[in-house]
Each structure stands twice: as structure tokens, then as C-alpha cells.
Short mmCIF file of all heavy atoms in Angstrom, two decimals:
data_model
loop_
_atom_site.label_atom_id
_atom_site.label_comp_id
_atom_site.label_asym_id
_atom_site.label_seq_id
_atom_site.Cartn_x
_atom_site.Cartn_y
_atom_site.Cartn_z
N VAL A 1 4.69 -65.93 34.69
CA VAL A 1 4.21 -65.61 33.35
C VAL A 1 5.44 -65.47 32.46
O VAL A 1 6.22 -64.52 32.62
CB VAL A 1 3.37 -64.32 33.33
CG1 VAL A 1 2.86 -64.03 31.92
CG2 VAL A 1 2.21 -64.42 34.31
N ARG A 2 5.62 -66.42 31.57
CA ARG A 2 6.80 -66.40 30.72
C ARG A 2 6.81 -65.14 29.84
O ARG A 2 5.79 -64.74 29.27
CB ARG A 2 6.82 -67.65 29.82
CG ARG A 2 8.11 -67.82 29.02
CD ARG A 2 7.92 -68.90 27.94
NE ARG A 2 7.58 -70.19 28.52
CZ ARG A 2 8.46 -71.12 28.86
NH1 ARG A 2 9.76 -70.89 28.68
NH2 ARG A 2 8.07 -72.26 29.37
N ASP A 3 7.97 -64.51 29.76
CA ASP A 3 8.18 -63.36 28.87
C ASP A 3 7.18 -62.23 29.12
O ASP A 3 6.60 -61.67 28.19
CB ASP A 3 8.11 -63.79 27.40
CG ASP A 3 9.24 -64.73 27.01
OD1 ASP A 3 10.26 -64.77 27.74
OD2 ASP A 3 9.11 -65.42 26.00
N MET A 4 6.98 -61.87 30.38
CA MET A 4 6.08 -60.76 30.68
C MET A 4 6.53 -59.49 29.97
O MET A 4 7.72 -59.22 29.82
CB MET A 4 6.01 -60.49 32.19
CG MET A 4 4.94 -61.29 32.91
SD MET A 4 4.66 -60.72 34.62
CE MET A 4 3.71 -59.21 34.31
N GLN A 5 5.53 -58.71 29.54
CA GLN A 5 5.78 -57.47 28.82
C GLN A 5 5.40 -56.27 29.68
O GLN A 5 4.70 -56.40 30.70
CB GLN A 5 4.96 -57.46 27.52
CG GLN A 5 5.28 -58.59 26.57
CD GLN A 5 6.62 -58.42 25.87
OE1 GLN A 5 7.21 -57.35 25.88
NE2 GLN A 5 7.10 -59.49 25.24
N ALA A 6 5.83 -55.10 29.25
CA ALA A 6 5.58 -53.88 30.02
C ALA A 6 4.11 -53.49 30.03
O ALA A 6 3.71 -52.64 30.84
CB ALA A 6 6.43 -52.73 29.47
N ASN A 7 3.29 -54.08 29.16
CA ASN A 7 1.86 -53.78 29.17
C ASN A 7 1.07 -54.81 29.95
O ASN A 7 -0.16 -54.90 29.82
CB ASN A 7 1.32 -53.68 27.73
CG ASN A 7 1.36 -55.01 26.99
OD1 ASN A 7 2.01 -55.95 27.44
ND2 ASN A 7 0.66 -55.08 25.87
N GLU A 8 1.76 -55.60 30.80
CA GLU A 8 1.11 -56.61 31.63
C GLU A 8 1.39 -56.32 33.10
O GLU A 8 2.48 -55.88 33.47
CB GLU A 8 1.61 -58.00 31.26
CG GLU A 8 1.24 -58.41 29.83
CD GLU A 8 1.74 -59.79 29.47
OE1 GLU A 8 2.94 -60.07 29.71
OE2 GLU A 8 0.94 -60.58 28.95
N VAL A 9 0.38 -56.60 33.92
CA VAL A 9 0.48 -56.35 35.36
C VAL A 9 0.04 -57.61 36.09
O VAL A 9 -1.04 -58.16 35.81
CB VAL A 9 -0.41 -55.16 35.79
CG1 VAL A 9 -0.23 -54.89 37.29
CG2 VAL A 9 -0.08 -53.92 34.98
N LEU A 10 0.87 -58.07 37.01
CA LEU A 10 0.52 -59.23 37.83
C LEU A 10 0.03 -58.71 39.18
O LEU A 10 0.73 -57.96 39.87
CB LEU A 10 1.75 -60.13 38.02
CG LEU A 10 1.49 -61.55 38.54
CD1 LEU A 10 0.60 -62.33 37.58
CD2 LEU A 10 2.80 -62.28 38.75
N LEU A 11 -1.19 -59.10 39.54
CA LEU A 11 -1.80 -58.69 40.81
C LEU A 11 -1.59 -59.80 41.83
O LEU A 11 -1.84 -60.97 41.55
CB LEU A 11 -3.29 -58.42 40.63
CG LEU A 11 -3.68 -57.46 39.50
CD1 LEU A 11 -5.19 -57.27 39.48
CD2 LEU A 11 -2.96 -56.13 39.62
N LEU A 12 -1.14 -59.43 43.03
CA LEU A 12 -0.86 -60.40 44.09
C LEU A 12 -1.61 -60.00 45.35
O LEU A 12 -1.45 -58.89 45.85
CB LEU A 12 0.64 -60.43 44.43
CG LEU A 12 1.67 -60.35 43.31
CD1 LEU A 12 3.05 -60.18 43.90
CD2 LEU A 12 1.59 -61.59 42.46
N LYS A 13 -2.41 -60.91 45.88
CA LYS A 13 -3.09 -60.61 47.14
C LYS A 13 -2.17 -60.98 48.30
O LYS A 13 -1.80 -62.15 48.47
CB LYS A 13 -4.40 -61.37 47.25
CG LYS A 13 -5.22 -60.92 48.48
CD LYS A 13 -6.38 -61.83 48.77
CE LYS A 13 -7.47 -61.71 47.76
NZ LYS A 13 -8.68 -62.50 48.15
N CYS A 14 -1.82 -59.99 49.11
CA CYS A 14 -0.88 -60.20 50.21
C CYS A 14 -1.55 -60.22 51.58
O CYS A 14 -0.90 -60.56 52.58
CB CYS A 14 0.20 -59.13 50.19
SG CYS A 14 1.28 -59.23 48.75
N PHE A 15 -2.83 -59.85 51.65
CA PHE A 15 -3.58 -59.95 52.90
C PHE A 15 -5.05 -59.72 52.58
O PHE A 15 -5.39 -58.92 51.72
CB PHE A 15 -3.11 -58.92 53.94
CG PHE A 15 -3.95 -58.92 55.20
CD1 PHE A 15 -3.86 -59.98 56.09
CD2 PHE A 15 -4.84 -57.89 55.46
CE1 PHE A 15 -4.65 -60.01 57.24
CE2 PHE A 15 -5.62 -57.91 56.61
CZ PHE A 15 -5.53 -58.97 57.50
N ASP A 16 -5.91 -60.42 53.29
CA ASP A 16 -7.36 -60.23 53.15
C ASP A 16 -7.97 -60.33 54.54
O ASP A 16 -7.65 -61.24 55.30
CB ASP A 16 -7.95 -61.30 52.22
CG ASP A 16 -9.32 -60.91 51.68
OD1 ASP A 16 -10.18 -60.46 52.48
OD2 ASP A 16 -9.54 -61.03 50.45
N THR A 17 -8.83 -59.38 54.88
CA THR A 17 -9.45 -59.41 56.21
C THR A 17 -10.48 -60.52 56.34
O THR A 17 -10.83 -60.92 57.45
CB THR A 17 -10.13 -58.06 56.51
OG1 THR A 17 -11.18 -57.82 55.55
CG2 THR A 17 -9.14 -56.91 56.47
N ARG A 18 -10.97 -61.03 55.21
CA ARG A 18 -12.01 -62.04 55.24
C ARG A 18 -11.43 -63.43 55.49
O ARG A 18 -10.37 -63.76 54.99
CB ARG A 18 -12.79 -62.01 53.93
CG ARG A 18 -13.53 -60.70 53.70
CD ARG A 18 -13.97 -60.53 52.27
NE ARG A 18 -12.83 -60.35 51.37
CZ ARG A 18 -12.95 -60.05 50.08
NH1 ARG A 18 -14.15 -59.90 49.55
NH2 ARG A 18 -11.88 -59.90 49.33
N ARG A 19 -12.18 -64.23 56.27
CA ARG A 19 -11.75 -65.58 56.61
C ARG A 19 -12.83 -66.57 56.19
O ARG A 19 -13.34 -67.34 57.00
CB ARG A 19 -11.51 -65.70 58.12
CG ARG A 19 -10.44 -64.75 58.66
CD ARG A 19 -10.47 -64.74 60.18
NE ARG A 19 -9.46 -63.87 60.75
CZ ARG A 19 -8.22 -64.21 61.06
NH1 ARG A 19 -7.84 -65.46 60.85
NH2 ARG A 19 -7.38 -63.35 61.58
N ASP A 20 -13.18 -66.53 54.92
CA ASP A 20 -14.29 -67.35 54.43
C ASP A 20 -13.85 -68.39 53.43
O ASP A 20 -14.65 -68.91 52.66
CB ASP A 20 -15.36 -66.44 53.80
CG ASP A 20 -14.81 -65.54 52.71
OD1 ASP A 20 -13.60 -65.66 52.40
OD2 ASP A 20 -15.57 -64.72 52.16
N GLY A 21 -12.55 -68.71 53.41
CA GLY A 21 -12.03 -69.74 52.52
C GLY A 21 -11.34 -69.21 51.29
O GLY A 21 -10.68 -69.99 50.59
N ARG A 22 -11.45 -67.92 51.00
CA ARG A 22 -10.77 -67.37 49.84
C ARG A 22 -9.28 -67.18 50.14
O ARG A 22 -8.86 -67.19 51.30
CB ARG A 22 -11.41 -66.06 49.41
CG ARG A 22 -11.16 -64.90 50.32
CD ARG A 22 -11.97 -63.69 49.86
NE ARG A 22 -13.39 -63.86 50.12
CZ ARG A 22 -14.35 -63.34 49.35
NH1 ARG A 22 -14.04 -62.64 48.28
NH2 ARG A 22 -15.62 -63.54 49.65
N ALA A 23 -8.47 -66.99 49.13
CA ALA A 23 -7.03 -66.77 49.31
C ALA A 23 -6.80 -65.53 50.15
O ALA A 23 -7.45 -64.50 49.96
CB ALA A 23 -6.35 -66.63 47.96
N ARG A 24 -5.85 -65.62 51.08
CA ARG A 24 -5.54 -64.48 51.94
C ARG A 24 -4.09 -64.03 51.81
O ARG A 24 -3.77 -62.88 52.09
CB ARG A 24 -5.83 -64.82 53.41
CG ARG A 24 -7.28 -65.20 53.67
CD ARG A 24 -7.55 -65.40 55.14
NE ARG A 24 -7.46 -64.14 55.86
CZ ARG A 24 -6.79 -63.98 56.99
NH1 ARG A 24 -6.13 -65.01 57.53
NH2 ARG A 24 -6.76 -62.81 57.60
N TYR A 25 -3.19 -64.92 51.42
CA TYR A 25 -1.77 -64.61 51.29
C TYR A 25 -1.22 -65.28 50.04
O TYR A 25 -1.68 -66.35 49.65
CB TYR A 25 -0.97 -65.11 52.49
CG TYR A 25 -1.42 -64.57 53.83
CD1 TYR A 25 -2.20 -65.34 54.69
CD2 TYR A 25 -1.07 -63.28 54.22
CE1 TYR A 25 -2.60 -64.86 55.92
CE2 TYR A 25 -1.48 -62.79 55.45
CZ TYR A 25 -2.24 -63.57 56.30
OH TYR A 25 -2.65 -63.08 57.51
N THR A 26 -0.19 -64.68 49.43
CA THR A 26 0.51 -65.35 48.32
C THR A 26 2.01 -65.11 48.47
O THR A 26 2.48 -63.98 48.33
CB THR A 26 0.06 -64.81 46.95
OG1 THR A 26 0.04 -63.38 46.96
CG2 THR A 26 -1.32 -65.33 46.59
N ALA A 27 2.73 -66.17 48.76
CA ALA A 27 4.18 -66.08 48.80
C ALA A 27 4.71 -65.81 47.40
O ALA A 27 4.17 -66.32 46.41
CB ALA A 27 4.78 -67.37 49.35
N HIS A 28 5.75 -65.01 47.29
CA HIS A 28 6.31 -64.68 45.98
C HIS A 28 7.79 -64.34 46.12
O HIS A 28 8.27 -64.01 47.21
CB HIS A 28 5.55 -63.51 45.33
CG HIS A 28 5.44 -62.29 46.22
ND1 HIS A 28 4.53 -62.20 47.26
CD2 HIS A 28 6.12 -61.12 46.22
CE1 HIS A 28 4.65 -61.03 47.85
NE2 HIS A 28 5.62 -60.35 47.25
N THR A 29 8.50 -64.40 45.00
CA THR A 29 9.93 -64.09 44.99
C THR A 29 10.40 -64.01 43.54
O THR A 29 9.73 -64.49 42.62
CB THR A 29 10.74 -65.17 45.74
OG1 THR A 29 12.13 -64.80 45.74
CG2 THR A 29 10.60 -66.54 45.09
N GLY A 30 11.55 -63.42 43.34
CA GLY A 30 12.22 -63.54 42.05
C GLY A 30 13.00 -64.84 42.01
O GLY A 30 13.32 -65.43 43.04
N PHE A 31 13.29 -65.33 40.79
CA PHE A 31 14.10 -66.54 40.69
C PHE A 31 15.02 -66.44 39.47
O PHE A 31 14.71 -65.74 38.50
CB PHE A 31 13.22 -67.80 40.59
CG PHE A 31 12.49 -67.96 39.28
CD1 PHE A 31 13.01 -68.77 38.26
CD2 PHE A 31 11.28 -67.33 39.06
CE1 PHE A 31 12.34 -68.93 37.06
CE2 PHE A 31 10.59 -67.50 37.86
CZ PHE A 31 11.13 -68.29 36.86
N VAL A 32 16.14 -67.11 39.55
CA VAL A 32 17.09 -67.14 38.44
C VAL A 32 16.54 -68.09 37.38
O VAL A 32 16.38 -69.29 37.62
CB VAL A 32 18.48 -67.59 38.91
CG1 VAL A 32 19.43 -67.72 37.72
CG2 VAL A 32 19.05 -66.60 39.93
N ASN A 33 16.25 -67.55 36.23
CA ASN A 33 15.64 -68.32 35.15
C ASN A 33 16.70 -69.11 34.40
O ASN A 33 17.57 -68.54 33.75
CB ASN A 33 14.93 -67.35 34.19
CG ASN A 33 14.23 -68.06 33.05
OD1 ASN A 33 14.12 -69.27 33.03
ND2 ASN A 33 13.76 -67.27 32.09
N PRO A 34 16.65 -70.45 34.46
CA PRO A 34 17.68 -71.25 33.77
C PRO A 34 17.60 -71.12 32.25
O PRO A 34 18.54 -71.49 31.55
CB PRO A 34 17.38 -72.68 34.23
CG PRO A 34 15.93 -72.67 34.58
CD PRO A 34 15.67 -71.30 35.14
N GLU A 35 16.48 -70.60 31.72
CA GLU A 35 16.33 -70.45 30.29
C GLU A 35 16.73 -69.05 29.81
O GLU A 35 16.58 -68.74 28.62
CB GLU A 35 14.88 -70.72 29.88
CG GLU A 35 14.43 -72.16 30.14
CD GLU A 35 13.02 -72.42 29.65
OE1 GLU A 35 12.32 -71.44 29.31
OE2 GLU A 35 12.62 -73.59 29.59
N CYS A 36 17.24 -68.23 30.70
CA CYS A 36 17.62 -66.88 30.33
C CYS A 36 18.89 -66.91 29.48
O CYS A 36 19.94 -67.38 29.94
CB CYS A 36 17.83 -66.02 31.57
SG CYS A 36 18.34 -64.32 31.21
N PRO A 37 18.85 -66.42 28.25
CA PRO A 37 20.06 -66.41 27.42
C PRO A 37 21.02 -65.33 27.88
O PRO A 37 20.63 -64.37 28.55
CB PRO A 37 19.51 -66.10 26.02
CG PRO A 37 18.25 -65.35 26.26
CD PRO A 37 17.68 -65.89 27.54
N PRO A 38 22.29 -65.46 27.55
CA PRO A 38 23.27 -64.44 27.97
C PRO A 38 23.03 -63.12 27.25
O PRO A 38 22.55 -63.09 26.11
CB PRO A 38 24.61 -65.06 27.57
CG PRO A 38 24.28 -66.04 26.49
CD PRO A 38 22.93 -66.57 26.81
N GLY A 39 23.36 -62.04 27.95
CA GLY A 39 23.33 -60.73 27.33
C GLY A 39 21.98 -60.05 27.29
O GLY A 39 21.87 -58.96 26.70
N VAL A 40 20.93 -60.64 27.88
CA VAL A 40 19.63 -59.97 27.86
C VAL A 40 19.61 -58.85 28.90
O VAL A 40 20.36 -58.88 29.88
CB VAL A 40 18.47 -60.96 28.14
CG1 VAL A 40 18.47 -62.09 27.14
CG2 VAL A 40 18.56 -61.50 29.56
N PRO A 41 18.77 -57.84 28.70
CA PRO A 41 18.71 -56.74 29.69
C PRO A 41 18.28 -57.25 31.06
O PRO A 41 17.45 -58.16 31.18
CB PRO A 41 17.65 -55.81 29.10
CG PRO A 41 17.60 -56.14 27.65
CD PRO A 41 17.90 -57.60 27.55
N ALA A 42 18.87 -56.68 32.10
CA ALA A 42 18.51 -57.05 33.46
C ALA A 42 17.06 -56.65 33.73
O ALA A 42 16.58 -55.64 33.22
CB ALA A 42 19.44 -56.37 34.46
N ARG A 43 16.39 -57.47 34.53
CA ARG A 43 14.99 -57.17 34.86
C ARG A 43 14.90 -55.88 35.66
O ARG A 43 15.63 -55.66 36.62
CB ARG A 43 14.40 -58.32 35.66
CG ARG A 43 12.90 -58.15 35.95
CD ARG A 43 12.60 -57.70 37.36
NE ARG A 43 12.51 -58.82 38.25
CZ ARG A 43 12.18 -58.72 39.54
NH1 ARG A 43 11.93 -57.55 40.07
NH2 ARG A 43 12.15 -59.79 40.32
N GLU A 44 13.96 -55.04 35.26
CA GLU A 44 13.58 -53.85 36.02
C GLU A 44 12.07 -53.87 36.17
O GLU A 44 11.35 -54.21 35.22
CB GLU A 44 14.04 -52.56 35.33
CG GLU A 44 15.55 -52.44 35.24
CD GLU A 44 15.99 -51.16 34.57
OE1 GLU A 44 15.34 -50.75 33.59
OE2 GLU A 44 17.01 -50.57 35.02
N SER A 45 11.57 -53.50 37.35
CA SER A 45 10.14 -53.63 37.60
C SER A 45 9.69 -52.60 38.61
O SER A 45 10.49 -52.01 39.34
CB SER A 45 9.81 -55.04 38.11
OG SER A 45 10.53 -55.31 39.31
N ILE A 46 8.38 -52.40 38.65
CA ILE A 46 7.77 -51.55 39.67
C ILE A 46 6.65 -52.33 40.32
O ILE A 46 5.86 -53.01 39.64
CB ILE A 46 7.25 -50.22 39.08
CG1 ILE A 46 6.64 -49.35 40.20
CG2 ILE A 46 6.24 -50.45 37.95
CD1 ILE A 46 6.35 -47.92 39.77
#
């Protein structure tokens, strides 16, 4: 999500007991954004 704000929350499903074809896992990671301009505040998150 480009330019996420502090009033936004991304929900990630990391496990599901059900095996009926719905999503059960989602791989995720941080990445170095090539469009990040110099001098911006470092990312902080919870």
C-alpha cells in the first residue's frame, strides 16, 4: 500500500485451520523502496 498512514491497518492471515480452498498463509517482508527520497523518517511500525 503506497504511502500508508498511521490511520491504516494491514491485516495478514498467517494461518487458518480450515482447508476448504481459502487463503491459509501469506508470505510478507519489508523491502527497500527505490522511490524513497533521501531524508525521510525511518519506518516505524507495530
Side-chain angles (χ1 to χ4, degrees):
V1 181
R2 188 192 300 268
D3 294 341
M4 270 191 76
Q5 300 286 346
N7 66 347
E8 296 180 311
V9 183
L10 195 60
L11 308 182
L12 319 171
K13 188 191 289 187
C14 293
F15 176 71
D16 199 313
T17 62
R18 296 164 292 187
R19 300 169 179 270
D20 55 2
R22 72 186 72 212
R24 301 186 68 226
Y25 302 102
T26 47
H28 53 282
T29 182
F31 72 96
V32 176
N33 181 9
E35 296 184 348
C36 179
V40 303
R43 185 257 273 184
E44 295 181 322
S45 59
I46 181 169

